[in-house]
Amino acid sequence: MSLCVLENVKKRYLIGEEEVEVLKGINLQVEQGEFIAIMGPSGSGKTTLMNILGCLDVPSSGSYVIAGKEVTQLNDDELSVLRNEHIGFVFQNFYLLSYATVLENVLLPTLYMERSRDGFTRKRAKEILGLVGLSDRAKFKPNQLSGGQQQRVAIARALINDPDLILADEPTGQLDSKTASEIMDLLSKMNQRGKTVVVITHDANTAAYARRTVRILDGLIVD
Amino acid sequence: MGRLGRILRQSVMAVRAFKLRTLFCVVSVALGISSITIIVAATEGAFKKAFDMVALFGPDALLVVSGSDEARAIGKREKTLTLEDVQAVKEAFPGAYVVAPSTSMGDVTVAYRDKKYQSLVVGSTSDFSRAWTWPVVEGSDFTDADIRGLRNVAILGSHVVEELFAKEDPVGKYLFVKGIPVQVVGVLSDRGTTPTGQNLDNRLIMPISTVMRKMQNERKYISVFRVRFVDQKKLSRYEEEVRLLLRQRHQLPEGVPDDFRIISPKEIIKFLAALTGSLVVFLGIVGVISLVVAGFVLANLFLLSVKERSKEIGIRRSVGARRNDIRLQFLGEAVTLTTIGGLIGFVSAIGGSRLLTLIADFPIHFSWKAFAVGLLLSWFVGIAFGLQPASRAANLEPIEAIRT
């Protein structure tokens, strides 16, 4: 079953007076349990595609269905709920809250759940920290951790709400090659446990972990 | 914990994390709240004092004083009220349960053994204690026989007793008032000083007949008289009727000012309001200005904070925070800050008012009312000045917020 279906997705931005079409008709299906790399040079539209896949942005035209919902029909609040329940983000710069502890960062998505059981989510957060190998760092602040450890925290945060889709935007961009491969191993492990993973990258080594690679150039998927 | 509680906990976390912002906001709000709290407390204190004074004076009482306002203004003490006036008022107002004339002499030397004291001698009828609601705590009040018999008896104010008798029991003892031997029959309770600093306990009360005949060589004129009415609601009407009766008796034609003055509880309140009014106005202006300044400090620091923390906002939005969740968090931060400021302001107001009472005898009364006004105002400032920055935070587009 398809988790994400994009049909003829176009995205236009108004830059000054000029309208620029960044995505020019993307067709893409992401199946449940896939591990896909989306590759492309900078300016190819891959970041815009990721924003749309992650429901941070909506298509100008075309259709995007995720988990059975047509994104173009949803309002801002509904999109927020969708992100909260179905999508986990991993960013290039980790994007952790500097004033919160590791555990609090991992718990961040649970704050915005409609129903959340504190005891349960804390227990789950600790389990996931164990899974990413940071059990002993729960009370640390992000600036006390290495880059690789911070990215593990981000992955733990992406997993806490048990989302259908993990979206990683250049997850290894800030890491040395050894740490990068550890992070990618971790994402592979999550994929093996049944998570759908989409990695956006321009790095072939990173893309090599995926089972399918999609190339994007000038706003179109090329193969 | 519900969603609301979880988000407000984030607010508290941020308040603790951004310490410099917290410091500036809290201090500026505390300043404003503390001056406003002092105003509320001072206004309440003034009311309470006015109330106490009215209770002391008697809420159902009028005091009629001899002499026109003009004469008093130039320090002339003319006596215009007579014993017949008092009798006429007594007959004209069956609703008056006390009509008590009194006359006074200042700076009278009172001597007991080798001790001397300058006292105010007040001549009164047997109604003194009742007319002034001023209990005799030792011995007893005068009797009518004391008045009729021009007896040399006295009731002492507590300060007179302190000065002349030390540890002796004064009741039954004889002292000399203007060289005349007088027997002490009673002692009045402590009454303290008036807001104008006049000591009320330095007086010595004697039968009015004795004072007038034996000390003042006076048969007719008295200084003041006091009337108390059963129905205090009609006091303003009674006041007007007493005025008309006295004008008629004194044969004052229209256009000529009163040659007496009627003091009512209303006038006491007016006097006290005037006394505290200027300070309250001054503090009020200071308080409102500093609270508005605090509001702008808050709004500015929050706008800056929203700008600095746009990435945080983007992160929160990407993990599922709705616009309202963001708005609520920032509003929560603002209100948390102003609440802390308000509480600190209240505490420092208590300290500040101590200082104020050291400088001037200023009635200040702290109650839950001052506390509630301060707290509500601090919330108001937090919401009013925090809403715009919070809404700006909420309206950031997630992709723009996260890329900045």
Side-chain angles (χ1 to χ4, degrees), chain A residues 7 13 53 97 148 150 160 177 191 195-196 208 219:
Chain A
E7 275 173 9
Y13 289 112
L53 278 173
L97 292 188
Q150 289 190 47
I160 185 78
S177 58
N191 176 243
K195 291 277 168 246
T196 312

Side-chain angles (χ1 to χ4, degrees), chain B residues 204-222:
Chain B
L204 181 149
I205 322 295
M206 290 174 63
I208 189 167
S209 50
T210 313
V211 174
M212 283 174 74
R213 300 281 183 79
K214 293 186 180 172
M215 295 180 179
Q216 294 176 322
N217 195 21
E218 173 68 71
R219 288 180 168 270
K220 193 175 173 194
Y221 289 103
I222 56 161

